[in-house]
Amino acid sequence: HRQHKANLIYAILLFVYVIIPSVSTEVITYFSCRHFDRGNHRVDLKIVASQLDIKCTGDRYKLFGIYSALMIVLWPVGVTLGLTVLLWRNRAHLNPLVIVDSNSREGGKKDEETDDFKKEKHRHATAMRELVKIKKRDEDESISFLEFFFEEYEPRCYLFPVFELARRIFLTSILAVFYPGSMQQIAIGMLGALLSMAVYLYYEAYIDDHDDCVAAVAQWQVTFTYFASFTAFAAAEADQKQGFFSTTGFGVFLLLVLFSSFLTAVYLILLDIFGREALARYSSIS
């Protein structure tokens, strides 16, 4: 019975986590209005971007506005806070306390250890501690209903799913409030991409180092995509039809950027299948 209950909670949490970006986009973009010039010195027509049959004036708009505000509190805000509280309350299980003896019995006295040796020793002890935590966490059946949120991350980053959820809401919902393709949307998107990249590179939250590598490349990919959009927008505004950003070479560069994370993943898979030595031998022969 307990296992069935855990499976049910797991399915509900997974379902909510999957649909929240689209639901958040629907309720947040309700407050984004598009202006249409009707000419003849008449007042511009303002229509809800996501509901073209609703004008941004009148009682109907206000009524649905109250409903959308409540849904914002319930979904993007409520679910994010709820996930934070849920993970925080289970932090003792998600990031269990373990003691790993890092004192080396070999290699001489401590005062003879170099700074590089101390750093390497600390890094090794940290890695060993995380491995012990992962084993202890995986054996804890009391948090099996949260497995979807922690199975890929190191215990020290047990709150990382909250950041990932906020990032998804930002990229799919918050940016949708701005006019599509506008300078404001591109600038805010690029700022968010830079912040996200910094977080991924700093924490390296995944258990598998290959996953950290692919995630880092994906963050660079998103950042370069926004940069390319920014340069294209600036070139169009300046009416510059010549230059590097208008050439075929820049288009090829963008294609490589778009496929960079996929190519990185394929390369790492080949390393796992054939091994680094075999791949290096094949490269030297060719």
Side-chain angles (χ1 to χ4, degrees):
H1 177 72
R2 180 178 300 178
Q3 185 62 38
H4 289 306
K5 182 179 179 181
N7 292 337
L8 178 61
I9 298 176
Y10 177 93
I12 294 174
L13 291 175
L14 176 60
F15 176 75
V16 172
Y17 189 81
V18 170
I19 69 170
I20 189 173
S22 58
V23 175
S24 300
T25 301
E26 189 69 23
V27 296
I28 291 178
T29 54
Y30 181 82
F31 297 98
S32 177
C33 296
R34 298 289 180 261
H35 295 255
F36 295 92
D37 186 5
R38 296 195 293 179
N40 297 327
H41 304 288
R42 292 186 296 177
V43 179
D44 292 349
L45 181 64
K46 296 199 303 181
I47 298 179
V48 177
S50 59
Q51 301 288 337
L52 297 181
D53 60 332
I54 301 179
K55 297 180 180 180
C56 293
T57 55
D59 296 335
R60 185 185 180 191
Y61 175 74
K62 294 179 181 179
L63 180 62
F64 279 98
I66 296 175
Y67 172 78
S68 296
L70 293 175
M71 290 299 100
I72 290 176
V73 174
L74 176 63
W75 283 97
V77 177
V79 171
T80 304
L81 291 178
L83 178 60
T84 305
V85 172
L86 184 61
L87 296 177
W88 178 257
R89 291 184 61 182
N90 290 275
R91 64 188 182 278
H93 302 277
L94 296 172
N95 187 27
L97 178 63
V98 297
I99 299 177
V100 178
D101 185 10
S102 60
N103 293 326
S104 176
R105 298 183 180 180
E106 300 178 356
K109 300 179 180 179
K110 289 186 177 181
D111 55 359
E112 296 178 356
E113 297 177 353
T114 63
D115 291 339
D116 291 339
F117 179 81
K118 291 179 180 179
K119 291 179 181 179
E120 183 64 22
K121 181 179 177 181
H122 175 72
R123 187 193 66 81
H124 177 73
T126 302
M128 291 299 297
R129 188 182 301 111
E130 287 299 307
L131 289 176
V132 175
K133 286 183 178 182
I134 291 171
K135 185 177 184 299
K136 188 175 181 179
R137 182 186 65 181
D138 293 343
E139 294 174 350
D140 192 344
E141 296 182 357
S142 65
I143 55 173
S144 59
F145 67 98
L146 292 173
E147 184 178 0
F148 171 76
F149 295 103
F150 69 76
E151 59 183 347
E152 295 182 352
Y153 301 112
E154 296 183 9
R156 62 184 176 84
C157 298
Y158 67 94
L159 286 177
F160 203 81
V162 178
F163 169 78
E164 180 62 20
L165 178 61
R167 187 185 72 87
R168 294 170 65 217
I169 293 175
F170 172 81
L171 291 176
T172 59
S173 305
I174 304 300
L175 290 183
V177 174
F178 300 94
Y179 192 83
S182 64
M183 179 67 77
Q184 293 85 352
Q185 186 186 56
I186 297 173
I188 297 298
M190 187 161 60
L191 180 63
L194 288 172
L195 175 62
S196 177
M197 181 175 62
V199 172
Y200 268 88
L201 293 178
Y202 179 79
Y203 284 100
E204 296 183 340
Y206 290 99
I207 297 175
D208 193 332
D209 291 338
H210 288 177
D211 292 340
D212 283 324
C213 180
V214 174
V217 173
Q219 297 306 309
W220 279 105
Q221 175 183 341
V222 174
T223 303
F224 271 116
T225 301
Y226 276 110
F227 174 75
S229 300
F230 184 84
T231 55
F233 186 93
E237 287 293 314
D239 195 22
Q240 294 180 353
K241 298 182 180 180
Q242 302 295 331
F244 174 72
F245 299 113
S246 302
T247 61
T248 304
F250 185 65
V252 174
F253 171 75
L254 288 182
L255 286 176
L256 292 176
V257 169
L258 292 176
F259 284 98
S260 58
S261 58
F262 173 75
L263 295 175
T264 302
V266 171
Y267 174 75
L268 294 176
I269 292 174
L270 291 177
L271 284 180
D272 287 335
I273 295 177
F274 300 104
R276 296 179 183 273
E277 295 182 1
L279 192 60
R281 191 182 311 114
Y282 175 79
S283 300
S284 61
I285 294 175
S286 59

